[in-house]
Structure formats: structure tokens, C-alpha cells
Amino acid sequence: MNQQVLSAFIWSVADLLRGDYKQSEYGRAILPFTVLRRLDCVLEPSKAAVLAEFEARTKAGLNPEPFLERKSGQRGLYNTSPLDMKTLMGDQDHIRENLYSYLQAFSPAVRDIFERFEFHAQIDRLAKARLLYQVTEKFAGIDLHPEAVDNHQMGLVFEELIRKFAEISNETAGEHFTPREVIRLMVNLIFVEDDDVLSKPGVVRTIYDPTAGTGGMLSIAGEYLAEHNPQARLTVFGQELNPESYAICKADMLIKGQDITSIAFGNTLSEDGHHGQHFDYMLSNPPFGVEWKKVEKDVRKEREQQGFNGRFGPGLPRVSDGSMLFLLHLISKMRPANDGGSRFGIVLNGSPLFTGGAGSGESEIRRYVLENDLLEAIIALPTDMFYNTGIATYVWVVSNRKPAARKGKVQLIDASGYWQKMRKSLGSKRKELSDAHIERITRLFGQFIEESEDGKPISRIFRNEDFGYRTITVERPLKDEHGKPVLGSKGKQKGKPQPDSSLRDTENVPLSEDVETYFKREVLPHAPDAWIDPDKTKIGYEIPFNRHFYVFKPPRPLAEIDAELKACTDRIKQMIEGLSA
């Protein structure tokens, strides 16, 4: 069944709900029913065998769980009820009780999914509105068997439904998932150069997403590896804060045979669901510009008590934007370099590139990343790529196992011009990357070369220290009414000019330049009595991305502009004369 037809069919259930449910509440009923019908279809071929096994093992006084998983052929998924969605239709008067009974017979991992959906509350609500039988009947009529709808299509249907419900309830759809082509680019970037390793038979690698949403990043990474090496196995790990997204992510993983116990629920920043674990690959699209006030106490406590042994040793960003905390969290999850190391991709907005001066939390985090040679590349994406925002976004590629050629260097790729217009806008998303764009960006990254197109730089390579600077404090003497410097009378300051705080200034000196040379050239010619206070010098780091790709366009000659204006005024004159004639 075509994906659009399927999602439109599921969406038509909304017609039944209209009046009894607000538009913004449709998803609360439709999403869990979609999951239920999918699981119902997945388990159908093995149902008889599972029931027979359940009876035999229970009679023998054994824990049936491991045997049932084997019979169903699905890790963590089975149902021990003789009911299914088709048989539920045979008893209209007891639909609510039978549906409860059917749900209760699922494996514990699946029951957890429906609990996070708060599905029982929806069943009660539908029953009171006398809609439960009709809605169940509608879903029982949808063919969601894997032969009719494969995992990939099912993932797309989930995504579309989530986006639609998020839009009508005025939530930020981008919090729940990332456009598939952006994920494909990120997956390409983290796996590039690893084809040799990944193509070995029986290789097992781990991948982790601390902001898993509905599981799109983990799914696409799995698909990539399956295409390149069917023998390789990718074990997925994740954590998600939104109960609905968490439920869908787990359902999606379950359907694909992944171990869903590795998907944790909760806020990654305050309660790390994978404490002490490290991973080969990681991906994340944390929420942009979202404050972390709710978890501030926990985060500060971890930093104070554990310092660099915890996740937030390098520094803390301002409370108004927590995205850099996720960057630090991922760094803490990297496998040690002597144990094979890690590589990850994270989507960030522009502010982590330059927000905060020397000594600020943001600058200290950038300093830690660059001085430890962890940053491989930053790729600027086009605007209007995400469902909930049109702002500029950047993919950071971070690794503690850089190839020799990349050591001590950072590659910046300006891919902001690589896009095609979408046939139909989805929320704020008006642009998308084509396969050719993804291939081009991946090649630029993989080849690690500087390149230009039409005289405009596209890929540039810098040394880590090129992004560092010293902020020096320039002092001027305090003067008395006769214009003479006021001298200090105590301690170290005795006999030295006292600084005038109203004339105090700062200068940013690139790390690659000698401070004294800079001071003599840039400051002393304008203020011969100035001096540097070395105790106030701070080291800072920023990545002025756009400045490195700016190409100066000289203004057009005046004669050309005059000629254009004259042609325009002549045209207007002719029109006026034509009207008055």
C-alpha cells in the first residue's frame, strides 16, 4: 500500500473523532491504535504457535517468556491472548474489557509502550463517547502486515502522522523528528572512511541517540549498514523525553527486531539512561534554543561534584540554550581512543559557533573541543530545512580517532547553497537535499580538500588554533586635574599609574599572533600611555563560519545604475502619457 494512501486512511479516523475530541487531541487515540494494529499484523503468522507454547510452558511451571519470543520470532514482542483485532470485532458489547485483556497479554516491553501513550485513558474516553467499537473496527480493516507495508514505509507513516498531529496542536514538530535526508547525510558523514571495518563479516557496532525522538536517526543508520553490509549488526541505544515519541520509537525498534530495553525514558541531561556506557557512533538533533532551567540544579550539581569525571567539566552554556550540554554529553559517551574511539554528528543552530566571549561557558566548551582536537568538520545546511524553524543550522562532526591527515585541523563546508525546492512545504520546511547534494557533501568531507565553485569557497581547512584568541585588557592612566597620572601608594601598585576604569578597553588578539607585537602595532600608536594588565588576559575560541566564506562583491558602476533608473523612469513616463492620451 502506498504511504500517502495509508496515512490518509489512518487520518480518516479523525473524522470519527471530530466533535468528541479537539483537533489537537486526535493523535492521542490514532497513534497508539496505529502501533497496536501494526503489532497485531506482525504477530499474526506466529499467533497459534505462541499460544500453544504458552500453554505448554505454563503447564510445566516454567517462565514462558524466552520461549515465546523464540516462537514469535520477534525480540521482546509476543501476545498470549487468544484475541486479536479481528476477533475483537465479534463482541461489540464487551469491546472495552476485551481490548484491555488483549493489551494486558502483550510482553512487558510492549505494555510499557501503551502505558507511555496513556492508551487506557483513551480507550475509556472513546467508550464513553460510544466510539470505541467504530474506531477499533476502522483500524482492524487496515492491512499493516509487513508484506504490505515494510518497516521503512511504516517509519515514514509514523513520521507523517506525528508531524501532522504536532502541527495541529501547535507544538514544535522538529522536536520529535529530523528530516530523513538530513539524517542520511549525517549517517554518511559518521560512517565515511569506515567502509573497510563495516564490511567485515559479523562486525557489531553500537550507535546512540540521546534525543531519539521517534527513532528516525537510529532507523536510518541501521538501513545504511544493512545496505552496505548485510552481515554487520548495529546495536541501537537511545533516550527520549517525550512519552509519545518514546512510545513510537520503541514500537518502531520492536518491529525491526531491535532490543528495545536499550531505549531509555527521561531527560538525558538530568538522568542519563546509559550511565557509564560508551558507543562507536552517535547522532543527535537536540532542541534548538531551549532553556535548561528545569534540570539546572542536577546539571550544576554534577559539575560541582564530578568536574571532568562527569559530563559537564569543560563549562556550562547560558540557561537559555541547552544544546551545547548535549554536545558535552556525547563527548562523555565516546569510546576511549585506545579502545577504537568514536565519531558523532550533532545538529546545532548558529549560536554555539560564536555565542559568549572569552571565559564564558560556551567559549570554554569550544576551547575544550578544539584544544583536545575533537572537531573534524562543521557543515552549514540550507535554511528552511527543518519542520519547526527556518533558521540556519550546522552539522558538527566530532571524533577522537581522527585520521592522520585531519589531526590538528578543522574542515568547514558551506553547503547552504545545496538544496532543491520541495513540491509542497511541510511546516517551515521548504527545502530539501537531493541524493546528489548528499553525495557531494559526503565527498567533500571524505576527500578532506579545499574546494570552490564559481569563484566561491565551498570547503576550507583551518588549524584548530586559528579559532582561538586572547582577550587582553588595555588600561590607561587615571589623571589628576593637571593631566598628570595618579600613582598608586600601596603594595604592588606603589609608584605605578592607577588605571582609569572609564578608559579601560579590551582587544582580541589571535592565538597565532604575539601579543606584544599586536599591542605595539594596533594600540600604542593611538594611546602611547596604555599598558596591558596580564592578570586579566583570557583565552577564548569562536568559529566565525560565515566570515570564512564571505566573498566581496564590488558595487555596480554608477553609470550602469543611472542607465537602469533612466530606462525605468522613461517606461513610467510612457505609461502616464498613454493613460492621458
Side-chain angles (χ1 to χ4, degrees), residues 3 8 82 124 159 195 248 251 297 324 329 427 475 486 552 561:
Q3 178 209 334
D124 280 352
E159 281 183 10
D195 282 349
I248 288 176
K297 199 174 155 195
M324 287 184 98
H329 172 75
E475 300 284 16
V486 176
F552 174 73
I561 297 167

Side-chain angles (χ1 to χ4, degrees), residues 473-479 498-506 523 527 529-531:
T473 301
V474 177
E475 300 284 16
R476 303 277 301 280
L478 183 68
K479 293 182 179 176
Q498 277 191 290
D500 183 343
S501 58
S502 67
L503 296 175
R504 186 173 291 144
D505 204 356
T506 57
V523 179
D529 55 359
W531 73 91

